[in-house]
Amino acid sequence: MVRFLLSRLAQSVFILIGVTMITFALAFLVPADPVRMIAGRNATPTVVENIRHQLGLDRPIPVQYASYLTRLAQGDLGRSYMQRTDVSTLIASRLPATLLLMAGAIFFELLIGLSAGIWAATRRGRFSDKAVMVASFVGVSAPHFLLGLLLLYVFANLLGLFPLGGYGTWRHLVLPALTLGIAGGGWYGRVMRSSMVDVLRQDYIRTARAKGLKERKVVLVHALRNAILPIVAMIGLDIGIFMSGAVVVESVYGWPGIGQLAWQAIQVIDIPIIMGVTLTAAVAIVIGNLVADLVTPFIDPRVRL
Amino acid sequence: MSDASRKFLRNRLALAGTLVILLIVAGGLGAPWLAPFDPHEQFFDGLTLEGAPLPPNEKFWMGTDLLGRDLFSRLLYGARTSLIIGVVANGAAVAIGTILGLVAGYVRGWVGAAIMRFTDLMMAFPALLLAIALAAIFSPSLWIVALVIALVNWVQIARVIYTQTTSLATREYVEATRALGANWPRLLFVHVLPHLLPTILVWSTLGIATTVLLEATLSFLGIGVRPPTPSWGGIIFESQSYFLDAPWLVFFPGVAVLLMALSFNLVGDALRDALDPTQRGR
Amino acid sequence: MRRIRSMLLAASAAALLAAASPAPASAAGSMVVTYKDDVSTLDPAIGYDWQNWSMIKSLFDGLMDYKPGTTELTPDLAESYEISPDGTQYTFKLRQGAKFHNGRELTAEDVKYSIERVVNPKTQSPGAGFFGSIKGWEEVSGGQSETLSGITVVDPRTVRFDLSRPDATFLHVMAINFSFPVPKEEVDRLGADFGKSPVGNGAFKLAEWTLGQRVVFERNPDYWKQGLPKLDRIEFQIGQEPTVALLRLQRGEVDILGDGIPPARFLEVKNDPANEGLIVEGGQLHTGYVTMNVKTPPFDNVKVRQAVNMAINKDRIVKIINNRAVPANQPLPPSMPGYDKNYKGYAYDPEGAKKLLAEAGHPNGFETELYANNTDPNPRIAQAIQQDLAAIGIKANLKTLAQSAVIQAGGEGSAPMIWSGGMAWIADFPDPSNFYGPILGCGGAVQGGWNWAWYCNEELDKMAAEADALTDPAKKAEREEAWRKIFIRIMEDAPWAPVFNEQRFTMHAPRVQGDEALFVDPVHIPVHYDDVSVAQ
């Protein structure tokens, strides 16, 4: 187990370095010049070249990459070209909003997924089972931006139950979190259903029933404990989807998270921010995948570490 | 196989999905005859005097967009964009994923390891950020968008194919053929690939749903297919800020994207059930 | 370019309640202003975006300023100034009693230090280019020297500028944010973080800054201007969607929409009688135009460029953006000195345009590319232009890209046509020369420049230099006439097709008061923070 963890950690470091390398290369392939964005529209060519030199952007790209890695190893993410602030400060000021959004999304995923899955599993083959499963597919097939706009239109504009976007109270959180959570909830519902159906066939469930336990207790206590494991692994794998979804959902709702930060930075090729956000997202995804891998053995006893 | 097709045909949802897909294909192909107007024509009477778009009415069945164009005609032509990208981008992604997965799973050694580590790396990349960056590098056109999506979407397929290939490669008949001295590309394509066809078929269908959603999202962010080519996501991008006052501009194309993705998901899921009942989840 | 948040993306703020009784000068209070995007920095050497431009103007003062609500220059930190007869020497006498927020009195050394700081490439200031006429600029901006030989501290209260050429815009340059004096000791102490804890000498000082959420200004009790500011406190709320901000304003939680009325809600808001008197309309120093690269065929033919001018239906484009602009026929916007009211420009005439194209040897039109920024409404405007061009046979393929990529293509000369919306051009100061040099003069027609039409007319450059040599304030009218001629001559060559000038629509809560002009101040956008007041 320890050996597994260590080797996975080593692999993760390798993956993260690879991510920085690709991002760095991509940032330099964009056909636009970050220095021109910094220097402004009154800059003469000399001024532009001087700023380029100040930023070290006149060095060969491999040299720049090496110096980026060196500073990264010391925990320095660099300084934003346009905002003139440490990237770590910028990310730290926005990460809580994104994490909050993710937490809210996971809450809704579980709420929707578990209730739909359990409901459908205990009514297997009936009309309500089919209806729930179709609904879950609709959730899966709806693009984030469409859901976002529709929820905003219905619940914020027509009914006035929630604010029209923004950040601050729990009311602001509900719609964006729900938007991100519906798609995942659809998947969870499907997985939960089949996992629950499997578990309900197991011997120990029959025993529990035979002992005269109430069906409600059998399902919600004994069966759920085992049936929920695949879901835990899925949450880990979902981090990547959240990171992508955040770009869209944050833009629809004006949520001040790192998705918006990345989007704005890409518009003006603010390379340090692009690097920092991608790396942050990659770290989150790697952690999520690790969690999923650690949980898997408990789901399927045949997979041993 | 006949068992599988019977199973598929019994799934009424899948049939409904197939029907919707056929309708969308017919709408896209038949757009020149079905569309009441030129999708590019900006009508003078398509906007109010203050420049507001028109809600659905007798002349413009689904209303007009912010430039006074007929929304229904644009939706019909937009189906072409979505379908072309869905098929081409996803086809490319499946091809890339299959080849890499096959080679990695069969060759193993350092080549296989390198391919799979690269796949891991791509898994850790936030997909949409990657797509946005690629779209910024290559200025978007229909084919570029398809390429970008393929470059982002092949990863999962590669992993699935890899896992299956590794288990197939250890089967006796493959080992036996290898012992007989068959060269490996021939072996892979003749003896291994056919066994993977069900998986590939399922992923090709399910993947189209993902692709359609990703294309719509890229267009929604303003980095999709270049205007004025109509695209469902693009229509929403152009209209999103007006959605409180002109909800039809978001509603109609949004429902179109949803229906298309839903249909491909339903069909793909039914195929999976029919072809390989052991696989579940994503 | 960062400042170029076009009003279409973000109209602007406040207004006044139907001639409510003027608030007494002592009336104090607090006001809430919303913005969507982060405030990046409040360092006057660096800040150049929509949000911070006016905020910096309230934290810092310059040698010169404009009378509130007008484009009329007036001495500010300078008590008086003198211009040598040849227009190459400007001497400013500083006011006594103007103190930095740390209590130290402003000296001539501060003025010299601050401008040298901006020009020094280590500062990476987007404003370095504005000071190009000061002697020694090349050495400092090239990194060979740290002191500008053209700035002399005569005594602690007198500073003299020696220019390498007569420059009539120099007083405007002394009113631009980049010239605002900063205290050296604080910059040295705070280093790169000066922009996050600015120490200025303006009407307000920074009280609180929660990154990504809130910036709070409070009254500077030692401010040298009597009776200013009229507010005790301004709270800038960040990350507020314009749509949300509008609703909150209607609920009385917000006083001024920093990003303006959201375009999509504009018609509804404007047509609602409840908002009467809360929306103030004014011109702004902006022109939206299509550039045509005169160096490459077919746009090297003036007839083709004129045909494009005649092909674009500007009235329809103005309608598409809900009449929040006026059609343009020349580079200068109507509120800019030098605008020619009598010039008619090229009327919309697709038939005439076709004839011109045929004369130019393109009876069947041609295929080309039109670049545009990919933020709404620019792709829509570009599509409207595309349709107009198609009507005369020009097939323009659209390239809608991020602004950085369009700017790159324009500066490289690889873009045949560019729609300028979302990128260019809002004047940095209210003077016609600012609409010439970088975007229509030979100086801008270089690699990485902003003259995307690559139009370079040596004769006009000479005329421009002559106009800018008219530094005597008494010759103001003569100078304006000279500029008028230059811009009309440009239109004969038609390197641009001017499309429209955006109008500003400033919306404010009923309790915010002040002269109507303060709400459409051409320089302080969205409002003149120092001069507005609130009803108690």
Side-chain angles (χ1 to χ4, degrees):
Chain A
M1 179 72 188
V2 174
R3 250 190 69 202
F4 169 79
L5 258 184
L6 282 178
S7 87
R8 278 304 304 258
L9 278 179
Q11 226 182 70
S12 305
V13 172
F14 162 83
I15 285 176
L16 292 179
I17 291 177
V19 167
T20 61
M21 201 187 287
I22 294 181
T23 316
F24 210 77
L26 289 181
F28 280 92
L29 284 174
V30 173
D33 182 356
V35 181
R36 272 187 200 147
M37 303 303 291
I38 302 166
R41 53 192 206 183
N42 287 287
T44 59
T46 343
V47 173
V48 171
E49 288 321 305
N50 276 315
I51 295 180
R52 197 185 305 285
H53 182 69
Q54 291 291 329
L55 291 170
L57 289 170
D58 51 353
R59 298 171 297 167
I61 291 173
V63 176
Q64 291 185 46
Y65 179 65
S67 90
Y68 180 84
L69 272 192
T70 319
R71 276 180 291 129
L72 188 64
Q74 296 155 7
D76 180 7
L77 283 172
R79 218 175 154 75
S80 154
Y81 294 161
M82 306 305 273
Q83 307 217 33
R84 314 283 173 121
T85 310
D86 283 330
V87 171
S88 46
T89 314
L90 288 171
I91 292 181
S93 76
R94 282 165 169 275
L95 197 56
T98 298
L99 291 179
L100 187 64
L101 181 59
M102 274 165 81
I106 292 175
F107 168 79
F108 279 114
E109 282 189 336
L110 290 176
L111 185 74
I112 297 168
L114 295 192
S115 37
I118 295 171
W119 170 275
T122 50
R123 286 159 184 75
R124 208 154 88 83
R126 290 195 227 160
F127 175 75
S128 50
D129 173 21
K130 292 230 169 90
V132 167
M133 284 303 108
V134 173
S136 76
F137 251 141
V138 174
V140 169
S141 310
H144 283 133
F145 61 87
L146 175 69
L147 267 180
L149 291 174
L150 285 184
L151 291 179
L152 210 50
Y153 183 69
V154 175
F155 292 101
N157 186 48
L158 290 185
L159 302 177
L161 295 175
F162 297 101
L164 271 166
Y167 178 66
T169 66
W170 67 270
R171 297 171 131 264
H172 292 94
L173 176 63
V174 174
L175 293 182
L178 187 60
T179 305
L180 262 185
I182 281 181
W187 283 119
Y188 289 13
R190 300 181 58 76
V191 173
M192 190 66 208
R193 176 183 174 279
S194 59
S195 152
M196 195 67 161
V197 166
D198 280 352
V199 171
L200 286 176
R201 286 199 196 113
Q202 306 281 320
D203 288 343
Y204 74 98
I205 295 293
R206 288 195 197 141
T207 322
R209 277 188 186 137
K211 276 202 230 153
L213 285 180
K214 283 201 183 117
E215 181 67 18
R216 199 183 171 78
K217 201 176 170 198
V218 170
V219 172
L220 291 184
V221 177
H222 296 270
L224 184 61
R225 205 189 301 158
N226 285 310
I228 203 170
L229 280 169
I231 301 280
V232 180
M234 285 179 74
I235 293 179
L237 295 174
D238 269 357
I239 306 290
I241 295 170
F242 287 147
M243 285 291 163
S244 291
V247 178
V248 172
V249 173
E250 287 176 6
S251 114
V252 170
Y253 288 96
W255 190 262
I258 60 169
Q260 290 239 56
L261 187 65
W263 175 241
Q264 285 163 15
I266 289 175
Q267 300 299 306
V268 292
I269 343 173
D270 198 330
I271 298 175
I273 296 188
I274 300 175
M275 295 292 294
V277 174
T278 318
L279 192 60
T280 310
V283 167
I285 294 171
V286 165
I287 294 176
N289 289 353
L290 197 57
V291 169
D293 281 355
L294 289 178
V295 175
T296 315
F298 297 98
I299 304 167
D300 186 346
R302 281 162 298 183
V303 182
R304 287 264 173 250
L305 298 182
Chain B
M1 197 62 195
S2 67
D3 182 42
S5 40
R6 227 176 303 130
K7 228 172 162 181
F8 182 84
L9 289 175
R10 243 183 302 151
N11 189 332
R12 264 179 287 170
L13 282 173
L15 290 182
T18 315
L19 188 69
V20 173
I21 293 170
L22 288 177
L23 277 178
I24 293 174
V25 172
L29 289 180
W33 299 277
L34 294 171
F37 300 102
D38 176 351
H40 299 305
E41 182 160 5
Q42 302 167 16
F43 290 96
F44 185 78
D45 61 352
L47 291 173
T48 67
L49 284 179
E50 284 177 313
L54 302 180
N57 57 52
E58 265 175 35
K59 183 173 176 195
F60 305 107
W61 301 338
M62 287 190 179
T64 58
D65 74 358
L66 296 169
L67 282 169
R69 295 174 294 201
D70 179 44
L71 183 61
F72 179 59
S73 305
R74 287 187 72 72
L75 280 185
L76 282 176
Y77 279 91
R80 294 179 165 196
T81 313
S82 292
L83 283 170
I84 291 175
I85 289 191
V87 172
V88 172
N90 189 55
V94 169
I96 300 174
T98 306
I99 292 173
L100 290 183
L102 260 180
V103 172
Y106 187 78
V107 178
R108 314 269 188 98
W110 70 269
V111 177
I115 293 178
M116 288 327 285
R117 289 297 82 77
F118 182 63
T119 316
D120 286 344
L121 203 165
M122 297 303 287
M123 288 281 283
F125 227 102
L128 190 58
L129 283 185
L130 180 62
I132 291 172
L134 288 172
I137 292 170
F138 313 104
S139 67
S141 71
L142 189 70
W143 304 111
I144 292 291
V145 172
L147 178 75
V148 165
I149 293 175
L151 287 180
V152 172
N153 270 358
W154 60 269
V155 185
Q156 285 228 326
I157 302 160
R159 282 174 71 106
V160 173
I161 298 287
Y162 168 77
T163 320
Q164 296 207 350
T165 313
T166 13
S167 78
L168 278 172
T170 55
R171 291 207 189 150
E172 283 152 19
Y173 73 89
V174 177
E175 302 219 330
T177 331
R178 184 164 22 193
L180 288 174
N183 68 339
W184 67 266
R186 186 183 141 75
L187 201 141
L188 266 188
F189 286 98
V190 177
H191 296 281
V192 179
L193 194 60
H195 294 274
L196 297 174
L197 278 180
T199 312
I200 294 172
L201 186 61
V202 169
W203 275 94
S204 306
T205 325
L206 288 179
I208 289 182
T210 322
T211 308
V212 167
L213 292 182
L214 188 54
E215 184 273 323
T217 304
L218 287 179
S219 296
F220 171 76
L221 291 171
I223 48 178
V225 176
R226 183 184 302 168
T229 308
S231 126
W232 293 344
I235 295 171
I236 301 180
F237 161 71
E238 284 182 353
S239 329
Q240 56 167 319
S241 59
Y242 285 71
F243 82 101
L244 293 179
D245 300 288
W248 63 90
L249 285 176
V250 169
F251 182 76
F252 289 124
V255 167
V257 176
L258 173 69
L259 269 181
M260 182 142 153
L262 177 62
S263 306
F264 278 105
N265 268 330
L266 287 174
V267 172
D269 191 57
L271 279 177
R272 171 158 52 194
D273 278 352
L275 296 171
D276 186 356
T278 58
Q279 273 199 328
R280 288 207 193 83
R282 295 186 190 199
Chain C
M1 81 234 84
R2 279 185 274 155
R3 233 189 103 217
I4 311 279
R5 155 91 51 99
S6 103
M7 281 296 176
L8 292 174
L9 283 175
S12 83
L16 74 171
L17 185 54
S21 57
S26 64
S30 174
M31 170 170 94
V32 175
V33 181
T34 56
Y35 283 107
K36 177 174 183 297
D37 290 338
D38 269 340
V39 175
S40 54
T41 173
L42 290 174
D43 183 343
I46 293 170
Y48 200 21
D49 56 39
W50 182 256
Q51 301 86 281
N52 62 20
W53 190 251
S54 291
M55 291 169 81
I56 289 171
K57 286 183 183 296
S58 286
L59 291 176
F60 294 84
D61 278 343
L63 292 180
M64 303 293 295
D65 197 3
Y66 301 91
K67 286 194 177 146
T70 70
T71 56
E72 193 182 331
L73 275 165
T74 159
D76 200 37
L77 285 178
E79 195 175 68
S80 61
Y81 60 87
E82 254 175 59
I83 307 171
S84 68
D86 68 349
T88 59
Q89 210 175 65
Y90 284 70
T91 312
F92 295 87
K93 189 89 186 153
L94 299 188
R95 188 174 299 278
Q96 209 149 23
K99 287 180 181 162
F100 285 113
H101 298 151
N102 65 6
R104 184 172 70 73
E105 183 139 354
L106 170 86
T107 70
E109 281 292 345
D110 294 314
V111 176
K112 180 172 159 69
Y113 163 75
S114 306
I115 292 174
E116 285 171 351
R117 174 170 174 257
V118 170
V119 180
N120 191 324
K122 288 203 178 93
T123 313
Q124 298 166 24
S125 167
F130 289 108
F131 304 98
S133 62
I134 300 177
K135 273 188 187 157
W137 183 85
E138 280 79 11
E139 288 76 18
V140 178
S141 74
Q144 295 102 309
S145 165
E146 301 235 316
T147 51
L148 282 164
S149 57
I151 309 183
T152 314
V153 175
V154 179
D155 66 52
R157 283 184 53 210
T158 312
V159 59
R160 191 181 71 226
F161 293 86
D162 289 287
L163 308 185
S164 49
R165 58 173 188 266
D167 182 2
T169 66
F170 195 69
L171 290 177
H172 286 294
V173 171
M174 289 298 111
I176 204 166
N177 288 8
F178 300 109
S179 74
F180 291 175
V182 294
K184 179 171 190 295
E185 67 275 17
E186 301 290 342
V187 175
D188 288 344
R189 185 171 66 87
L190 296 159
D193 291 325
F194 181 74
K196 286 282 184 286
S197 348
V199 177
N201 51 10
F204 288 95
K205 53 187 186 181
L206 181 70
E208 185 203 330
W209 187 340
T210 312
L211 210 59
Q213 289 179 35
R214 186 167 52 249
V215 179
V216 180
F217 284 5
E218 65 182 20
R219 164 197 292 272
N220 171 9
D222 297 328
Y223 194 48
W224 59 273
K225 273 184 211 165
Q226 282 296 312
L228 289 180
K230 292 188 175 162
L231 294 167
D232 280 338
R233 191 172 174 276
I234 306 178
E235 179 175 339
F236 299 92
Q237 298 181 355
I238 311 300
Q240 299 280 320
E241 277 296 312
T243 326
V244 183
L246 172 65
L247 280 177
R248 294 186 57 210
L249 183 137
Q250 289 165 337
R251 263 189 242 146
E253 298 167 15
V254 167
D255 296 304
I256 285 177
L257 307 177
D259 298 316
I261 306 167
R265 311 293 285 167
F266 176 73
L267 285 181
E268 200 183 303
V269 170
K270 199 192 74 181
N271 296 338
D272 184 348
N275 295 328
E276 212 179 308
L278 299 183
I279 301 173
V280 186
E281 179 178 353
Q284 63 165 332
L285 303 172
H286 163 273
T287 304
Y289 48 87
V290 177
T291 63
M292 288 162 271
N293 189 337
V294 301
K295 295 265 186 263
T296 53
F299 293 113
D300 54 351
N301 186 329
V302 63
K303 284 186 177 163
V304 173
R305 304 197 296 266
Q306 287 170 338
V308 168
N309 264 284
M310 289 156 72
I312 298 176
N313 185 347
K314 297 165 189 173
D315 290 327
R316 207 184 93 85
I317 294 175
V318 165
K319 184 172 116 171
I320 286 168
I321 53 167
N322 308 130
N323 305 321
R324 295 190 304 143
V326 291
N329 60 25
Q330 55 190 297
L332 289 184
S335 39
M336 180 70 95
Y339 178 81
D340 191 340
K341 281 192 287 286
N342 302 320
Y343 180 66
K344 292 279 175 276
Y346 298 94
Y348 173 57
D349 177 11
E351 287 312 311
K354 265 189 212 162
K355 251 180 241 150
L356 271 179
L357 268 192
E359 285 170 31
H362 301 282
N364 303 315
F366 54 87
E367 198 169 335
T368 183
E369 273 173 339
L370 172 62
Y371 283 64
N373 183 347
N374 64 357
T375 50
D376 190 72
N378 298 305
R380 280 194 279 137
I381 294 171
Q383 288 178 68
I385 295 171
Q386 184 187 37
Q387 163 161 300
D388 289 341
L389 293 179
I392 63 163
I394 300 177
K395 183 169 187 288
N397 296 312
L398 290 189
K399 281 208 156 192
T400 51
L401 306 169
Q403 62 159 349
S404 52
V406 181
I407 291 169
Q408 182 82 8
E412 275 172 359
S414 56
M417 302 178 93
I418 301 179
W419 159 244
S420 74
M423 297 167 292
W425 187 256
I426 291 183
D428 293 296
F429 48 84
D431 187 273
S433 71
N434 192 247
F435 253 89
Y436 180 78
I439 45 179
L440 284 162
C442 296
V446 292
Q447 280 293 319
W450 282 70
N451 185 343
W452 298 334
W454 292 77
Y455 175 70
C456 173
N457 185 332
E458 306 277 356
E459 196 193 333
L460 290 185
D461 258 27
K462 232 175 83 201
M463 284 169 71
E466 280 163 18
D468 277 350
L470 297 169
T471 51
D472 185 352
K475 292 186 177 156
K476 196 163 166 257
E478 189 185 329
R479 184 165 173 267
E480 275 178 26
E481 185 51 41
W483 275 113
R484 215 182 325 270
K485 270 197 203 124
I486 293 174
F487 284 105
I488 299 313
R489 280 280 302 279
I490 289 173
M491 282 318 291
E492 287 166 17
D493 283 340
W496 286 6
V499 177
F500 58 61
N501 307 108
E502 287 177 16
Q503 290 288 93
R504 265 173 76 190
F505 292 87
T506 302
M507 183 165 184
H508 64 106
R511 66 188 205 107
V512 183
Q513 302 180 347
D515 189 86
E516 182 150 339
L518 295 177
F519 296 100
V520 284
D521 189 299
V523 182
H524 296 248
I525 296 171
V527 287
H528 201 303
Y529 294 132
D530 301 1
D531 284 80
V532 295
S533 56
V534 294
Q536 292 300 300

